[in-house]
Amino acid sequence: MIKAILFDLGNVIVPFDFRRAYAKLGPLCSCPVTEISSRLRSTDLVRRFETGRIAAQPFVSELSVLLGLQITYPEFCDLWTGIFLEDTLVTESLVAGLASRYRMLVLSNTNPIHFSMLKASYPLLGHFDDFVLSYEVGALKPEAEIYREAIQRAGCRPDECFFTDDIAINVVAARNNGMDAVQFLSAVQLEEELRTRGLL
């Protein structure tokens, strides 16, 4: 019997597109906008940020050097959080309905700049009981450590946890850690998965 339901955050609850931020950062950088993504991937800077090994302001300082970026910290935060779209992918009524019957958790690879903005901007997140965040745990999906932490905070057995994530490898890792997990493809598909399990 499922006792806890866990959602990934980005592209499950809130859609995002990093190109939105890159387009705004481009004119402020000394490198072409088409190179921003590859420069970020060439370092472990984002990984360190999302595992809590570097704080927000030093992250922005290192990123500014990497991209030749001339920007203040508040300006950067405003642009960096611009990746998120206004409308959520799942409805608040769905989450609220589930929250009335199950323990609800978010399990996400994220960073403090993004999460503080999301928590303040999306009332739907107020229905969740807990947030298992990579930068607080010090591990990223699909690493086993973050799933173990999520299961512990869910307060039940792994097989009593249902999890959905848009990235297939994260779903496989959840299953390998004993959870019932499905890849998120759409709100309609997720509701059908929940209905099949008798969770709606």
Side-chain angles (χ1 to χ4, degrees):
M1 179 187 296
I2 298 297
K3 295 182 178 178
I5 297 177
L6 299 89
F7 280 59
D8 178 29
L9 186 49
N11 281 339
V12 172
I13 298 176
V14 182
F16 72 89
D17 184 349
F18 267 103
R19 291 173 299 182
R20 289 162 57 96
Y22 298 160
K24 293 178 181 178
L25 288 171
L28 307 172
C29 295
S30 63
C31 68
V33 67
T34 53
E35 287 185 16
I36 293 176
S37 179
S38 59
R39 287 202 184 190
L40 286 173
R41 289 197 306 270
S42 72
T43 76
D44 67 347
L45 181 57
V46 173
R47 181 179 179 83
R48 283 189 288 133
F49 191 33
E50 293 200 337
T51 54
R53 302 204 312 271
I54 184 171
Q57 295 210 16
F59 165 77
V60 175
S61 296
E62 282 198 35
L63 185 69
S64 296
V65 172
L66 180 68
L67 301 179
L69 181 62
Q70 300 294 324
I71 196 171
T72 67
Y73 178 75
E75 288 170 340
F76 176 84
C77 291
D78 185 54
L79 294 184
W80 196 241
T81 55
I83 68 170
F84 298 103
L85 282 67
E86 183 177 352
D87 293 330
T88 58
L89 293 169
V90 294
T91 64
E92 184 167 3
S93 61
L94 172 67
V95 174
L98 293 170
S100 70
R101 297 161 57 198
Y102 305 98
R103 182 162 172 78
M104 298 286 289
L105 297 90
V106 163
L107 171 54
S108 178
N109 291 348
T110 190
N111 61 72
I113 294 176
H114 281 162
F115 185 69
S116 61
M117 172 271 184
L118 289 167
K119 192 77 185 302
S121 302
Y122 294 87
L124 175 154
L125 295 178
H127 297 288
F128 285 87
D129 299 297
D130 202 354
F131 300 88
V132 184
L133 310 173
S134 61
Y135 73 91
E136 294 180 342
V137 176
L140 291 164
K141 294 175 296 183
E143 297 166 5
E145 181 182 346
I146 195 167
Y147 295 96
R148 289 196 295 264
E149 177 69 19
I151 292 163
Q152 180 180 346
R153 293 215 220 155
C156 55
R157 299 194 314 266
D159 62 305
E160 294 173 327
C161 297
F162 173 84
F163 174 59
T164 186
D165 193 296
D166 63 306
I167 298 175
I169 192 172
N170 295 339
V171 173
V172 171
R175 291 173 181 162
N176 290 341
N177 282 275
M179 304 168 79
D180 180 6
V182 297
Q183 186 174 9
F184 179 89
L185 302 175
S186 70
V188 171
Q189 169 258 349
L190 175 61
E191 288 188 28
E192 185 57 34
E193 295 282 2
L194 293 167
R195 194 170 290 111
T196 298
R197 291 162 172 80
L199 302 177
L200 283 182

